[in-house]
Amino acid sequence: KLRSDYLDLRTIYPTYGHMLEYIGKLAEFKLNTLVIEYEDKLPFQKMKFLCHPEYAFTMEEFQEIQETAWRNFIKIIPLQQSFGHLEYVLKHEKYRGLREIPQAVGEMCPLRQGSLELSRALLEETAALHPQAEYLHIGCDEVWSLGSSRECMESGKSREMIFIGYVNQLVDIVCGLGKKPVLWHDMIARCGEEELACLDKRVVAA
């Protein structure tokens, strides 16, 4: 039912014109959804300091991307990282203290005060910019340093249960925003049956 492609704007910088052409090409192949990981290309309104100084979309460009997708019968699924791959956020001095360990620039400690509030702010802004989106992808892949922080080590919980506990909180946030949450499956693939039983069943693993 969902025939999708994935566009990762973390490491590639297509021109605006190529973005529109690309969406039209997807329609030729009968794809009907497109997962876009905007990272700092998203035109943040409340957290403008996260916008890339050169490559972030203007609001006009962003809206035209949405409209081009709609005209080509493509539904956009926004991907907002909210656990790992947060380099563009955790590089800022304001958020450095939320890293799982100092050298893991993109990975956030889920048990540290302020982490959930940051994830909530990112997800809320992404959802607000995609009012028609049915799904909201929360990423949550490759959180390699998870379990290394003092808070995690002192929690008495396994690495897998710490992960699932935080994901469940993110799922609750996304559902509260009226979206269906999606996450990458690699971290939960390491979990046992008892641990997976604790995962909120409202999330879709991809």
Side-chain angles (χ1 to χ4, degrees):
K1 185 181 288 188
L2 293 181
R3 302 180 301 280
S4 188
D5 197 9
Y6 165 51
L7 181 59
D8 184 356
L9 297 180
R10 294 179 303 149
T11 55
I12 60 172
Y13 306 96
T15 65
Y16 174 61
H18 282 159
M19 277 282 297
L20 302 183
E21 292 175 12
Y22 168 72
I23 292 172
K25 183 64 68 174
L26 294 181
E28 294 181 19
F29 287 96
K30 305 301 181 184
L31 299 186
N32 59 14
T33 51
L34 172 61
V35 177
I36 302 180
E37 185 166 356
Y38 296 97
E39 205 192 41
D40 54 1
K41 317 311 178 301
L42 192 70
F44 287 96
Q45 298 299 293
K46 294 182 179 179
M47 307 172 78
K48 290 182 180 292
F49 65 93
L50 295 179
C51 294
H52 193 286
E54 183 178 357
Y55 296 113
F57 296 120
T58 66
M59 185 57 73
E60 291 73 21
E61 289 172 338
F62 176 77
Q63 291 173 342
E64 181 60 27
I65 289 170
Q66 308 298 307
E67 291 170 7
T68 299
W70 180 81
R71 288 195 299 268
N72 284 279
F73 306 100
I74 303 285
K75 294 182 179 180
I76 290 178
I77 299 176
L79 192 160
Q80 175 55 67
Q81 291 285 359
S82 44
F83 204 159
H85 290 300
L86 281 171
E87 290 86 352
Y88 81 103
V89 179
L90 300 182
K91 69 179 182 181
H92 292 277
E93 187 63 34
K94 179 179 180 180
Y95 298 120
R96 286 174 62 91
L98 297 182
R99 297 177 189 178
E100 179 76 22
I101 51 177
Q103 60 269 36
V105 181
E107 299 165 24
M108 189 161 60
C109 173
L111 301 183
R112 193 159 298 153
Q113 186 175 0
S115 292
L116 187 63
E117 289 77 6
L118 174 57
S119 293
R120 183 189 302 276
L122 293 169
L123 293 170
E124 286 179 347
E125 183 138 15
T126 303
L129 287 167
H130 297 82
Q132 304 305 318
E134 180 180 0
Y135 295 91
L136 176 51
H137 202 308
I138 60 176
C140 296
D141 57 312
E142 301 178 343
V143 194
W144 303 131
S145 66
L146 178 62
S148 302
S149 70
R150 176 181 54 80
E151 292 88 342
C152 287
M153 289 190 289
E154 292 179 353
S155 71
K157 298 179 181 179
S158 69
R159 186 171 182 264
E160 290 74 20
M161 285 308 299
I162 293 172
F163 180 82
I164 288 176
Y166 195 65
V167 165
N168 285 348
Q169 294 181 83
L170 299 176
V171 168
D172 205 48
I173 291 171
V174 173
C175 290
L177 294 170
K179 311 292 186 187
K180 296 178 181 178
V182 183
L183 87 163
W184 295 128
H185 79 285
D186 62 299
M187 295 295 290
I188 60 172
R190 300 164 180 264
C191 298
E193 290 186 11
E194 290 186 7
E195 293 161 334
L196 285 175
C198 299
L199 181 66
D200 194 316
K201 301 306 183 289
R202 293 175 294 178
V203 69
V204 177

